[in-house]
Amino acid sequence: MAAGPVDWPTVCNTRDLGRYTPFVGAGTHLGWVPHDLLPQLRGRAGFSVSNDAVVLSPTLTSVADRSDVLAHLAQEWRDEGLVPGWRDESYDVVPYAGGPVVCRMERAVTRLFGCINRGVHLNGYTRDDGQLRMWVARRSAQKATFPGLLDQMVAGGVGSGLSLDSVIRREAQEEAGIPAGMTADLRVASVVTMFMEHQGRIFRDVEYVYDLELPSDFVPSNADAEVSEFMQLPMAEVLRLVAQTTQFKPDCNLVILDFGIRHDLIRPGDPTYRPAVTKLREGVS
């Protein structure tokens, strides 16, 4: 429980970059490498390491070449126990959201390099006598990151070469048992960003937000073991949990604040309004 109102937009955009070294590839800034990992990269083929930057060799002239070097590194680090939560899934590494793909990297390793991660989040809600209620998921205790915390009803990362809409529809079925027919017309409703330091690593996320009004009798069911339970809560309680506790995964608070503003549940004068409208999309440059 937090002592008072939590300014999540500030929390999720707080970092000390003096503890990190820029990661550069193909002449573009791709991420932030924590200083404790620099010894693991010095002298390694394909990398040049200085106090100013960790640079992928310019002799690696293609996405495939750069990805291959990173794949070998990822396998070695996994064998050495340096990569928690191995996913066996690649992410596109880009210099900015929507930018060109410079290389591809194991999802879990992108956190070690402070690269941009793209995700999709679904606000599943119902109306009860005109009042909004939101379905909230609790993350499995076995999750590699933020185990046991509250989450959106549906959320997932966007792997290499996948579209946002295809990922949200797949995750909706796997995580909440939402049939394809109910998500066929889903479109991105908003975007929030996060650029924070967490446990000695940089988390740079772009979250694409979807809203889905569900039938009042719909009850979600999980099929991929990533959710331990679902709860349907009045929006007033959801917003209280965001404002007064640390029960939600950090970026989920941003998604909920965004939902509250767009649905006129958070208005000027509310203590969460100003930081939300000014910092939800500060960017991950």
Side-chain angles (χ1 to χ4, degrees):
M1 178 71 70
V6 183
D7 180 357
W8 284 110
T10 295
V11 170
C12 291
N13 285 283
T14 298
R15 64 271 177 185
D16 179 1
L17 295 180
R19 302 173 183 173
Y20 302 85
T21 298
F23 171 49
V24 177
T28 59
H29 179 205
L30 301 174
W32 296 92
V33 180
H35 290 168
D36 64 283
L37 289 179
L38 296 183
Q40 306 292 332
L41 293 168
R42 285 195 174 96
R44 185 180 182 91
F47 292 88
S48 172
V49 180
S50 70
N51 292 332
D52 294 324
V54 173
V55 182
L56 281 172
S57 172
T59 62
L60 304 171
T61 58
S62 70
V63 171
D65 288 343
R66 292 186 284 268
S67 301
D68 188 56
V69 165
L70 290 164
H72 282 92
L73 173 70
Q75 291 286 346
E76 288 187 18
W77 279 8
R78 181 182 69 168
D79 294 343
E80 295 170 6
L82 296 176
V83 184
W86 184 270
R87 301 299 292 266
D88 199 23
E89 177 185 8
S90 69
Y91 270 7
D92 292 337
V93 178
V94 297
Y96 52 86
V101 178
V102 175
C103 53
R104 295 183 174 88
M105 187 185 295
E106 155 64 31
R107 176 175 178 174
V109 178
T110 62
R111 292 301 192 193
L112 304 183
F113 278 82
C115 298
I116 293 172
N117 279 206
R118 294 191 307 156
V120 292
H121 286 239
L122 174 66
N123 294 306
Y125 66 98
T126 61
R127 295 182 189 272
D128 183 7
D129 292 329
Q131 300 300 307
L132 294 183
R133 298 174 64 87
M134 181 175 281
W135 281 102
V136 172
R138 184 175 300 280
R139 294 165 66 83
S140 165
Q142 281 67 54
K143 292 282 286 185
T145 57
F146 305 105
L149 293 189
L150 299 180
D151 205 330
Q152 262 72 59
M153 179 186 190
V154 173
V158 181
S160 296
L162 299 178
S163 71
L164 302 175
D165 291 348
S166 68
V167 173
I168 195 64
R169 289 168 188 150
R170 180 195 69 201
E171 295 291 346
Q173 288 186 295
E174 293 179 355
E175 289 195 353
I178 301 174
M182 292 175 62
T183 60
D185 296 327
L186 276 181
R187 296 292 182 269
V188 173
S190 188
V191 181
V192 300
T193 63
M194 178 174 75
F195 189 171
M196 70 180 291
E197 188 172 10
H198 176 70
Q199 297 182 344
R201 304 293 183 254
I202 291 294
F203 282 49
R204 301 167 67 215
D205 292 3
V206 180
E207 312 292 11
Y208 297 87
V209 182
Y210 294 76
D211 294 347
L212 179 61
E213 184 171 351
L214 295 160
S216 58
D217 60 351
F218 177 81
V219 178
S221 60
N222 180 249
D224 62 7
E226 295 194 0
V227 174
S228 62
E229 65 173 329
F230 289 102
M231 296 169 283
Q232 190 187 48
L233 303 175
M235 276 306 303
E237 174 62 8
V238 175
L239 293 172
R240 185 195 71 79
L241 289 170
V242 169
Q244 299 180 13
T245 80
T246 57
Q247 293 190 38
F248 275 97
K249 179 171 169 275
D251 56 337
C252 297
N253 294 285
L254 305 183
V255 175
I256 292 167
L257 289 170
D258 174 76
F259 180 90
I261 290 170
R262 289 188 293 105
H263 289 261
D264 201 30
L265 303 173
I266 301 174
R267 301 173 181 174
D270 187 295
T272 61
Y273 181 86
R274 183 180 177 88
V277 296
T278 59
K279 295 181 180 179
L280 285 178
R281 284 163 281 275
E282 279 199 328
V284 289
S285 59

